[in-house]
Amino acid sequence: MKRLTHTLFLGTAALLAVSCSDFLDTTPLDALSPSTTWQTEADAQKFLVGCYDGWEDGTELLYMDCTSDFGYNNFSWEGYKDFANGNMTEANAGANFYDYTTIRRCNTFLQNIESVTFSDEAVKKDMIAQVRVLRAYNYFVMNWLYGGVPLIDNYESAEEAKVPRDTEEEVRKFIETELDECTADLNKTPSERGRIARGAALALRMREALYYGDYATAKARAEAISALDVYELEPDYSKLFQVAGQDSKEIILAVQYIPNTKTLGVIGQMYNNGDGGWSSIVPTYNLIDTYETENGLTIKEDPDYDPVHPFKDRDPRLAMTVCYPGADYVKADGSTSIFNTLDKTLGGESNINYMTVADNASKTGLTWNKYLAPITQYADIWNTNACPIVFRYAEALLTWAEAENELNGPSNTVYEKIDSVRTRVDMPKVDRTKYNTADKLRELIRRERGVEFAGEGLRRADILRWITSDGKMLAETVLNGRLERRVGTVGTGSDPETRATITQNPSPEEVLIENRTFKPFHRYFPIGQSVMDKNKALKQNEGY
């Protein structure tokens, strides 16, 4: 499939990239004015490409699980560590998601596109709809993370742009109306990989509805995605997250990166010290403990589960998602080695992957396999063409199952949707007798969603929206307390699942990574001090 190019024409970039704080009295000589550029269909196509540039950031997607119980970011300066441990403040606001660059570009496009004549009106409607979805997506991200943001127009001055926040509900209404109005104008399939098509608009509306508990709408949009008959589950789960799988029929939308043109460098930051990486983004044992055993039982339920060998006989997605101590892995030179983060020395020399030997060693002793394995798929780990997934078909299936269970409880169709995701990795079907009530099935659906999408940036939203039996956010349970590693040794046996021997009852000091705190006001991120300084009309979120 062709891929959306990110190369921008100079004039297009100059015109679209102006910020609210950079208004000038005269037009720069190297920029093109609207009166000279919005003339032809080709002009509109160039501006459309400008709207796509930066609409989502693959780096942010891959870091996002570090704001949850499933991930850890070792470096505060990268902006994600404090979202998980509760240390963010207005002055230390972490990574900034409060960004109107794409929204302003989309506004400019929509303001000018009507003056352009198209030979085919359907093409024009499709382009307009793409831009409306891109704008809605950016509002959705900010609205979910910050809880109400300004809905902006095109302003003539920086002073005019200093507007107060709309409420979270008002922003939701805008997003929902935009998507409901424009979806029908989109092509059924994208013209190029990375373009918005009908499935992406439906997926955004589905996710937004699910996050806010509108289960009827979430279910309806999931059904509409299936009815398109465009998407299907990828038989090879691992392939989804490799360069070789970027044209999979499961992928509804992914952020596009292109060799030598627009590359994704964060992949290099994710590898462990021994592979030249920084271990900036690593999984935790909270994730490992969430995977069922191969029998379809939790580790607490399965009498054969052995905490000394915790990787033995587990859900196959564990090994496909995480590189764990004792696993076989491919090195940059193409050779296969045993991943060892547990032994301080190897062959009489310091082990550069040991958890506390260096800042760049994984502090959990775990590394992601998603998007990283094998390392040989990338000519340069710091300039990769990895394309992080935003929406995929498995989300539609599990969203339908969750929504239907919340609306009407268990049914054969709910079980079948979940089964389709489980059986593609050879996990057993749902035990209908065991998960025979809405409450019991809810536990399984949440666990299934957690392991299916681990490392894909969805976990924090899930633990914020899922409410426990005491009426609290799940985050208040899983993000309060100690984040711990595990210690032990790695042998050289033939079975990767049992090479690691985990020490039981280790010293608390040896296994502590950090203490984490989550308070109810952490539901929303703080708006950064620099943003507040630029717009005095903004009001900070409570608690900060």
Side-chain angles (χ1 to χ4, degrees):
M1 179 184 289
K2 294 187 298 179
R3 177 159 31 179
L4 173 65
T5 177
H6 284 78
T7 303
L8 300 180
F9 290 85
L10 175 62
T12 303
L15 187 59
L16 288 178
V18 177
S19 71
C20 285
S21 59
D22 295 325
F23 287 92
L24 303 176
D25 293 329
T26 60
T27 302
L29 297 178
D30 63 348
L32 302 178
S33 69
S35 63
T36 61
T37 55
W38 291 97
Q39 303 293 320
T40 68
E41 185 174 334
D43 291 338
Q45 290 286 359
K46 295 172 187 178
F47 277 85
L48 176 60
V49 172
C51 292
Y52 272 97
D53 187 47
W55 73 273
E56 176 58 284
D57 190 314
T59 295
E60 292 176 354
L61 283 177
L62 294 175
Y63 266 103
M64 187 53 71
D65 267 16
C66 293
T67 69
S68 78
D69 55 326
F70 280 1
Y72 174 70
N73 171 218
N74 191 45
F75 306 107
S76 292
W77 55 269
E78 291 179 331
Y80 294 84
K81 181 176 184 176
D82 293 333
F83 288 139
N85 62 28
N87 287 334
M88 63 277 203
T89 64
E90 183 176 290
N92 176 40
N96 179 38
F97 298 90
Y98 191 94
D99 187 343
Y100 278 83
T101 302
T102 295
I103 290 171
R104 294 193 71 249
R105 289 176 177 176
C106 292
N107 284 350
T108 298
F109 180 96
L110 295 171
Q111 184 180 49
N112 290 279
I113 187 63
E114 291 299 341
S115 64
V116 180
T117 300
F118 281 70
S119 58
D120 185 345
E121 194 66 19
V123 173
K124 183 176 183 178
K125 288 183 177 181
D126 175 67
M127 290 175 63
I128 291 172
Q130 289 181 55
V131 171
R132 292 176 76 179
V133 174
L134 292 171
R135 183 173 63 175
Y137 180 86
N138 278 260
Y139 273 124
F140 164 67
V141 170
M142 288 196 293
N143 200 44
W144 177 259
L145 295 178
Y146 294 108
V149 294
L151 292 167
I152 68 166
D153 294 318
N154 276 338
Y155 301 113
E156 298 298 326
S157 69
E159 197 63 34
E160 186 183 357
K162 295 177 181 179
V163 294
R165 299 168 67 173
D166 289 270
T167 67
E168 189 170 7
E169 188 59 34
E170 288 169 338
V171 179
R172 280 195 64 201
K173 181 64 175 177
F174 175 82
I175 294 166
E176 293 166 1
T177 300
E178 283 286 284
L179 294 174
D180 290 346
E181 288 180 353
C182 76
T183 298
D185 290 336
L186 289 162
N187 290 334
K188 183 177 178 181
T189 58
S191 57
E192 299 174 283
R193 185 206 301 169
R195 287 276 183 138
I196 299 289
R198 204 172 302 164
L202 291 169
L204 174 56
R205 185 71 169 91
M206 174 189 73
R207 184 182 290 179
E208 193 268 351
L210 183 72
Y211 280 12
Y212 286 100
D214 180 1
Y215 296 117
T217 299
K219 175 186 171 183
R221 296 308 184 274
E223 289 174 343
I225 292 172
S226 296
L228 290 173
D229 199 25
V230 171
Y231 309 103
E232 60 187 47
L233 291 178
E234 168 64 47
D236 184 347
Y237 182 78
S238 292
K239 187 178 179 181
L240 269 172
F241 312 102
Q242 298 172 355
V243 173
Q246 290 176 349
D247 285 319
S248 170
K249 289 185 177 180
E250 182 168 343
I251 298 173
I252 298 174
L253 186 64
V255 190
Q256 298 301 297
Y257 292 91
I258 307 169
N260 304 316
T261 300
K262 183 181 177 68
T263 58
L264 185 63
V266 71
I267 295 296
Q269 294 170 227
M270 295 173 69
Y271 286 104
N272 210 340
N273 195 29
D275 290 307
W278 296 1
S279 299
S280 290
I281 303 170
V282 297
T284 69
Y285 275 94
N286 297 322
L287 169 60
I288 299 299
D289 290 347
T290 303
Y291 288 96
E292 296 174 357
T293 67
E294 64 180 7
N295 299 322
L297 302 173
T298 68
I299 60 174
K300 292 182 178 179
E301 295 169 340
D302 195 331
D304 294 326
Y305 170 73
D306 181 5
V308 175
H309 300 294
F311 311 112
K312 180 176 173 54
D313 297 334
R314 303 294 294 279
D315 181 331
R317 283 172 294 189
L318 189 160
M320 297 176 186
T321 302
V322 178
C323 187
Y324 55 80
D328 292 323
Y329 80 107
V330 177
K331 301 175 70 173
D333 62 6
S335 64
T336 301
S337 186
I338 296 174
F339 189 66
N340 188 339
T341 55
L342 300 183
D343 292 290
K344 294 182 179 180
T345 60
L346 294 174
E349 297 183 358
S350 177
N351 177 9
I352 61 175
N353 280 336
Y354 182 68
M355 294 173 285
T356 58
V357 73
D359 283 344
N360 288 0
S362 169
K363 295 300 172 282
T364 65
L366 306 167
T367 295
W368 292 106
N369 270 335
K370 280 186 177 178
Y371 297 110
L372 302 191
I375 192 173
T376 51
Q377 68 187 305
Y378 304 119
D380 179 355
I381 63 172
W382 299 98
N383 293 282
T384 76
N385 60 328
C387 295
I389 297 168
V390 180
F391 302 113
R392 59 186 175 94
Y393 186 53
E395 183 179 353
L397 295 173
L398 292 183
T399 293
W400 192 96
E402 180 177 351
E404 176 64 8
N405 186 58
E406 294 300 326
L407 292 168
N408 300 306
S411 69
N412 285 335
T413 308
V414 174
Y415 294 133
E416 288 168 359
K417 300 281 189 185
I418 304 169
D419 286 344
S420 64
V421 175
R422 290 170 64 87
T423 57
R424 74 111 159 242
V425 292
D426 296 324
M427 280 295 286
K429 293 181 178 181
V430 179
D431 184 334
R432 271 69 164 163
T433 302
K434 178 180 178 183
Y435 297 103
N436 60 354
T437 67
D439 288 342
K440 290 180 180 179
L441 188 56
R442 182 183 300 117
E443 294 177 10
L444 181 138
I445 290 171
R446 292 181 177 183
R447 184 167 63 248
E448 189 67 26
R449 184 176 168 94
V451 300
E452 174 68 20
F453 301 116
E456 298 179 50
L458 303 185
R459 179 62 178 179
R460 185 178 178 94
D462 284 347
I463 62 177
L464 293 176
R465 67 185 181 85
W466 286 336
I467 305 301
T468 55
S469 58
D470 57 2
K472 297 180 179 180
M473 292 174 281
L474 179 59
E476 295 179 70
T477 298
V478 299
L479 282 181
N480 270 311
R482 293 164 56 94
L483 178 66
E484 296 184 344
R485 62 175 66 91
R486 291 182 189 168
V487 296
T489 187
V490 174
T492 58
S494 61
D495 185 357
E497 295 183 353
T498 57
R499 286 182 186 138
T501 300
I502 301 300
T503 302
Q504 303 302 294
N505 302 313
S507 69
E509 295 79 12
E510 187 177 14
V511 297
L512 178 65
I513 298 174
E514 68 174 353
N515 287 299
R516 291 180 161 185
T517 300
F518 183 94
K519 298 179 180 178
F521 71 84
H522 290 147
R523 160 63 184 89
Y524 299 108
F525 289 165
I527 299 175
Q529 184 67 58
S530 62
V531 175
M532 299 292 292
D533 290 343
K534 291 175 182 176
N535 183 1
K536 299 297 185 181
L538 294 178
K539 183 180 179 182
Q540 182 60 270
N541 284 323
E542 292 185 11
Y544 299 106

